[in-house]
Amino acid sequence: MGAGLTARRHSPAWLGDGLYVLEWALTLAAIGLWASGKIYVPLMNAGSVLLVGAWTLRWAHTRRPFPVTPIDLPLVLFMLSAAVGLWATPNWWEALTRLYLYLGAVGLFYLLAECSPRALARFSAGFVAFAATLSLYFVTQNDWANQPVKFAAVRALGLALNRLVPDLGQYKPHPNVVASVLALVLPVALMLALQSWRSRAMADRLTTLIAVGGGLVVLFGVGMTASRGAWLALAGAAALALWWWLASQASPRFAAPQPAVFWGGIALVALAASIVFIVRPQLITTIFGALPGFSSAVSRLEVYQQSWRLVQDAPFTGGGLAAFPALYSTYILVIPQSFITHAHNAFLNVLVEQGWPGLGGFAGLMALAAWRATTQLRAAPDAYRPFVIAGALGIGIMILHGLSDAALIVSRMAPAMLVPAGLCLAGAAQSAGARVGAQGLAPLPAPQPWRRRLALGAVALAALLLMVVWRPALTAWHANMAAVAEARVELYGFPTNEWNDGQYADYLAPAESEARRALALDPGNRTANQRLGLAAMLRRNFGEAAQYLQQAHTADPDHHGVTKALAYSYVWLGEYDKAAPLLASIPEARTEFGIYVWWWQAQGYPELSERAHATYQRLEP
């Protein structure tokens, strides 16, 4: 294989290559185990043993389990927040599966971060081949007859493929999941084809065939997914590549380096877009609704706005890893069924589940990787430059696609989410001046005095801010703890597809205690009032529930979950005049009250059943 790693100690070539291959095999086997099922099975625990084995091999040969990269700190922060999310989640086994997939992404990233150019080329060829296989599997195995398809031509072609290829009866990935992976692979296929085409060696000709043929199959698959978010992301990545070239032409005129012009232009566009969407948020719906195919964007803005309320509930810890579907259904829609699987925005989804530390790590690692790639691109050795470009384009695709979809990070394809960063930094580490060869990487430079002063200044500023905001921060902390504690009880076993009968209400005492501590500091805190109101509803104390929920509604009158719970509390109290204006904004109310007629009767509350029936009759269909 020949110098597969860039940081191995001096040893016989056959030993280094053998350990390198074994390290890859163990890591990929672990990822395969973790991605093998949609739900947790005990066999997945063996994957952690395999990954630890791979890291142990690296430590035994290099005296360190991981290479040093520029994104280590945000990556550690992201993974620590994921571990906290495992603690916070109401569904521990589903969260553990997600954490394992993230560990697979970390393992793959660190392998790529110390790859040689030849090893990167082989990985890229394998990545393209995997994506092409996934594309063929999707287009032939997707149920085109019964699944919603946005374009008639795509459906017709899919049905023809279904007739040609028999149904294997196996896992059928969602089109958005497939699109999220295939879109990342296209720049890899393009750059691999361009690099291998320059060589006359027979092996490189084969690589060119894989890159070109596989890339075309992947492109076909992206088209068949009909994922408009992926299409926009690819178009955006092409625009970024064009802007990079234009920045190189404009940099002499501005007397500024190309990366400065590039990032300055992006910052201006991002600022302008942010202002426009803040002033006219409905443009999000308008833009997606204007694209061809039927539109699911009508509720996208509503999902974003209501998901932001979930962020406010648990800003420090997040609501729990893999908990978004349960949180949204229970505290926004107030239903016991799963409604949506993610927030349709990767950054917002991470923020809901892992809090601000998780978002800081997630956004930070991508930003640092992209920054390092662009600032070191010209200095990168020729053999690395195509992979740096592919990685930078991949990060652009991830960011742009992540603004409208979160399928990659919440699915079995999550181990691929750090591949672009790994490609970027494998080359960036070399362009930074690290030595390659038996002696390993050059030692890191000593910390500069200005960096120490900057760090001390940051600590002092943080201490000053803490002194100013300690009371709201402490209030938010207690409300966060209340939200997490209540969700662990209410959402256990979600989805139950049945309304809560209140049998576990006594287990909510710790959550109520934390909520009261929050209210002692801020009586108007929406999260604490909402959680206490919901707990009172479970105990059938609707008068107390209405008091708390009215406070929450005053704090946030646009919170769908608070409005609905308050309206229903007034109905159960027999105060329809107070409930009526609130029910006007709840389109599902009439259907649910029709069910409540039977449900309250079955629970032994005939008076509440009568009130449900009266409300059902008052609400016009």
Side-chain angles (χ1 to χ4, degrees):
M1 181 169 292
L5 295 177
T6 63
R8 296 300 189 189
R9 294 190 303 162
H10 180 69
S11 60
W14 64 267
L15 178 60
D17 289 349
L19 290 175
Y20 179 60
V21 171
L22 184 57
E23 197 176 317
W24 269 97
L26 291 174
T27 302
L28 294 178
I31 292 173
L33 278 176
W34 294 330
S36 62
K38 296 181 68 174
I39 59 175
Y40 170 84
V41 293
L43 184 60
M44 289 181 178
N45 295 325
S48 59
V49 177
L50 295 174
L51 190 61
V52 170
W55 291 342
T56 302
L57 280 177
R58 184 184 297 144
W59 175 84
H61 193 51
T62 67
R63 296 305 179 193
R64 61 181 186 182
F66 312 107
V68 177
T69 76
I71 70 167
D72 288 342
L73 287 180
L75 183 55
V76 168
L77 180 61
F78 177 75
M79 292 306 296
L80 284 177
S81 71
V84 172
L86 180 64
W87 163 81
T89 190
N91 191 338
W92 200 83
W93 298 113
E94 188 174 349
L96 181 60
T97 303
R98 176 79 63 78
L99 183 62
Y100 277 156
L101 292 169
Y102 286 174
L103 281 173
V106 173
L108 194 54
F109 164 75
Y110 278 118
L111 276 173
L112 292 171
E114 58 178 2
C115 271
S116 68
R118 179 176 296 181
L120 284 172
R122 293 181 178 180
F123 166 79
S124 298
F127 196 33
V128 172
F130 164 78
T133 303
L134 175 63
S135 177
L136 291 174
Y137 179 84
F138 168 74
V139 299
T140 58
Q141 296 301 303
N142 187 53
D143 187 359
W144 298 102
N146 298 313
Q147 294 298 322
V149 182
K150 300 168 185 174
F151 301 95
V154 170
R155 177 188 289 275
L157 183 54
L159 290 173
L161 290 170
N162 281 163
R163 289 191 293 269
L164 287 174
V165 182
D167 188 346
L168 301 178
Q170 300 300 312
Y171 166 63
K172 292 177 171 54
H174 191 278
N176 288 344
V177 173
V178 176
S180 66
V181 178
L182 299 187
L184 290 183
V185 176
L186 281 174
V188 177
L190 175 62
M191 299 314 300
L192 182 63
L194 292 176
Q195 184 201 46
S196 59
W197 179 255
R198 300 190 186 103
S199 174
R200 297 181 180 275
M202 183 59 66
D204 289 330
R205 291 301 185 193
L206 177 60
T207 301
T208 303
L209 180 62
I210 294 174
V212 174
L216 291 175
V217 173
V218 169
L219 184 61
F220 173 69
V222 173
M224 290 294 289
T225 63
S227 171
R228 292 168 294 178
W231 296 353
L232 287 175
L234 289 170
L240 287 173
L242 176 61
W243 171 234
W244 175 257
W245 178 81
L246 291 174
S248 69
Q249 305 302 306
S251 60
R253 178 176 302 178
F254 290 102
Q258 181 183 2
V261 177
F262 177 77
W263 287 108
I266 289 178
L268 288 176
V269 171
L271 178 61
S274 299
I275 293 174
V276 169
F277 285 129
I278 289 173
V279 175
R280 298 190 62 187
Q282 66 274 15
L283 281 179
I284 297 175
T285 296
T286 303
I287 291 172
F288 279 92
L291 295 174
F294 67 80
S295 176
S296 61
V298 175
S299 62
R300 192 178 296 268
L301 179 60
E302 176 71 12
V303 170
Y304 292 168
Q305 291 173 334
Q306 297 301 323
S307 295
W308 175 246
R309 271 76 180 193
L310 297 177
V311 174
Q312 296 170 332
D313 289 339
F316 298 102
T317 65
L321 207 59
F324 180 87
L327 294 170
Y328 196 88
S329 289
T330 304
Y331 298 115
I332 300 299
L333 301 179
V334 198
I335 59 175
Q337 299 89 14
S338 183
F339 182 72
I340 55 176
T341 56
H342 53 77
H344 291 279
N345 183 295
F347 304 95
L348 185 57
N349 204 90
V350 170
L351 189 53
V352 169
E353 295 186 349
Q354 297 172 235
W356 286 102
L359 178 63
F362 183 64
L365 67 90
M366 287 195 292
L368 281 177
W371 173 267
R372 188 64 183 269
T374 55
T375 55
Q376 300 294 331
L377 179 59
R378 289 188 177 276
D382 291 342
Y384 277 99
R385 192 170 294 121
F387 303 107
V388 178
I389 295 173
L393 289 173
I395 288 178
I397 290 169
M398 268 196 67
I399 293 173
L400 294 171
H401 197 191
L403 294 175
S404 63
D405 200 272
L408 179 64
I409 66 169
V410 304
S411 70
R412 291 195 238 180
M413 301 299 172
M417 69 182 186
L418 295 180
V419 167
L423 293 174
C424 279
L425 297 180
Q430 300 311 308
S431 64
R435 292 197 307 271
V436 184
Q439 299 303 317
L441 292 175
L444 294 176
Q448 299 296 320
W450 68 268
R451 293 183 179 178
R452 294 175 181 172
R453 289 193 293 268
L454 181 62
L456 289 174
V459 171
L461 180 61
L464 179 62
L465 289 175
L466 185 60
M467 292 174 61
V468 174
V469 303
W470 72 269
R471 190 179 184 89
L474 187 59
T475 302
W477 173 259
H478 286 305
N480 187 141
M481 292 297 102
V484 169
E486 186 161 323
R488 284 174 171 172
V489 176
E490 285 191 294
L491 306 185
Y492 182 79
F494 180 90
T496 62
N497 298 316
E498 296 179 357
W499 281 311
N500 197 322
D501 59 7
Q503 62 176 317
Y504 300 116
D506 292 340
Y507 292 96
L508 296 176
E512 293 178 276
S513 177
E514 288 287 354
R516 290 192 177 93
R517 290 177 183 173
L519 293 185
L521 294 167
D522 178 10
N525 182 270
R526 193 268 305 161
T527 298
N529 277 300
Q530 181 189 10
R531 293 306 191 269
L532 287 170
L534 294 176
M537 289 187 74
L538 290 179
R539 293 194 304 271
R540 312 309 178 210
N541 188 343
F542 299 114
E544 179 182 340
Q547 292 178 7
Y548 283 121
L549 291 169
Q550 182 59 61
Q551 290 290 331
H553 187 261
T554 300
D556 187 357
D558 295 324
H559 191 299
H560 182 85
V562 170
T563 301
K564 184 174 180 179
L566 178 60
Y568 284 31
S569 293
Y570 282 141
V571 169
W572 308 141
L573 288 170
E575 300 178 7
Y576 183 79
D577 290 342
K578 292 183 178 179
L582 301 173
L583 291 173
S585 63
I586 306 171
E588 70 272 19
R590 189 173 193 273
T591 300
E592 291 186 0
F593 279 114
I595 300 173
Y596 269 121
V597 174
W598 160 82
W599 192 80
W600 280 125
Q601 194 71 41
Q603 296 294 313
Y605 293 92
E607 183 179 2
L608 296 180
S609 176
E610 291 175 4
R611 290 173 181 172
H613 184 261
T615 305
Y616 174 80
Q617 290 182 318
R618 291 188 182 193
L619 293 174
E620 293 296 329

